[in-house]
Amino acid sequence: MKNQLIAIALYSAFSLALTACQNPSTVSQNTPNVASNAAEAATPVRVGSPAPDFTATDSNGKSHRLSDFKGKVVVLEWTNHQCPFVLKHYNSNNMQKLQKETTGKGVVWLSVISSAQGQQGYVTPQEANQLTKSRNASPTAVLLDASGEIGRLYQARTTPHIFVIDSSGVLKYAGAIDDKPSTNAADIKSAKNYVIPAVDSVLKGQNVADSTTQPYGCSVKYGS
């Protein structure tokens, strides 16, 4: 009896820890600290508003300013290679397909890594390049944001979390990659993908039907 009670207690603790990592609603409630929350409240990111400008260094040491891409559609993808939700889309080749399809249409695809040093998903520039090569990924660039400055600027909450910006610099889509918040790659086939329709609508100058959706995934591993 004593052993059964111990087993039940251990299982309950494990379940609570797993839920805290994977549940999007928990993620939004636990986002970083008072200072960053105050900054987010002061500068809300809304679809239909100008996308916040930023400058970041990519995994090859090249500096990129978002406003330099004016005239092109830009996709921002928050990522963490150790997150089960991200693994679902990379191990199935789904993310790579989205990257290739969109960049093939002239879209700029920027993968952003906001994991702080020492946190899950943090990578050095060399490791980022190795991941891109080993996964046969095709982003335009991988931006390293260990300080979390860009992530907090966009209020990125999960990995993945997707933003689509039109050629004039206005945010047109913010949210999930699709409507199946699971880690099961088999769900991708039946999922409603949000990224391609959003990009295609923006390229045609049309309104995005589902312009804001609930992102799902692991919480972005910001530093303190």
Side-chain angles (χ1 to χ4, degrees), residues 105-119:
K105 297 174 182 176
V107 171
V108 173
W109 186 294
L110 301 175
S111 299
V112 185
I113 302 173
S114 294
S115 295
Q117 188 167 8
Q119 298 288 333

Side-chain angles (χ1 to χ4, degrees), residues 149-170:
E149 182 178 352
I150 305 171
R152 289 183 173 118
L153 185 64
Y154 276 77
Q155 302 165 24
R157 291 183 287 154
T158 62
T159 51
H161 195 164
I162 305 289
F163 298 82
V164 178
I165 302 165
D166 74 7
S167 59
S168 65
V170 174

Side-chain angles (χ1 to χ4, degrees), residues 26 36 55 85 99 109 114 134 141 157 161 173 181-182 194 224:
T26 302
S36 63
T55 300
F85 294 90
Q99 294 168 345
W109 186 294
S114 294
S134 64
R157 291 183 287 154
H161 195 164
Y173 174 78
S182 78
Y194 293 127
S224 57

Side-chain angles (χ1 to χ4, degrees), residues 53-56 63-70:
D53 198 14
F54 62 79
T55 300
S63 180
H64 298 273
R65 189 177 178 87
L66 178 64
S67 53
D68 290 341
F69 295 115
K70 200 166 184 178

Side-chain angles (χ1 to χ4, degrees), residues 47-122:
V47 168
S49 299
D53 198 14
F54 62 79
T55 300
T57 302
D58 72 15
S59 56
N60 292 309
K62 184 178 179 180
S63 180
H64 298 273
R65 189 177 178 87
L66 178 64
S67 53
D68 290 341
F69 295 115
K70 200 166 184 178
K72 293 186 176 182
V73 174
V74 176
V75 173
L76 301 180
E77 168 219 352
W78 260 264
T79 188
N80 165 359
H81 70 288
Q82 295 174 314
C83 166
F85 294 90
V86 172
L87 288 170
K88 163 190 170 183
H89 291 288
Y90 273 98
N91 289 348
S92 64
N93 207 39
N94 184 49
M95 192 68 79
Q96 293 92 326
K97 287 181 180 177
L98 296 177
Q99 294 168 345
K100 287 176 182 175
E101 181 173 344
T102 53
T103 56
K105 297 174 182 176
V107 171
V108 173
W109 186 294
L110 301 175
S111 299
V112 185
I113 302 173
S114 294
S115 295
Q117 188 167 8
Q119 298 288 333
Q120 182 197 65
Y122 172 81

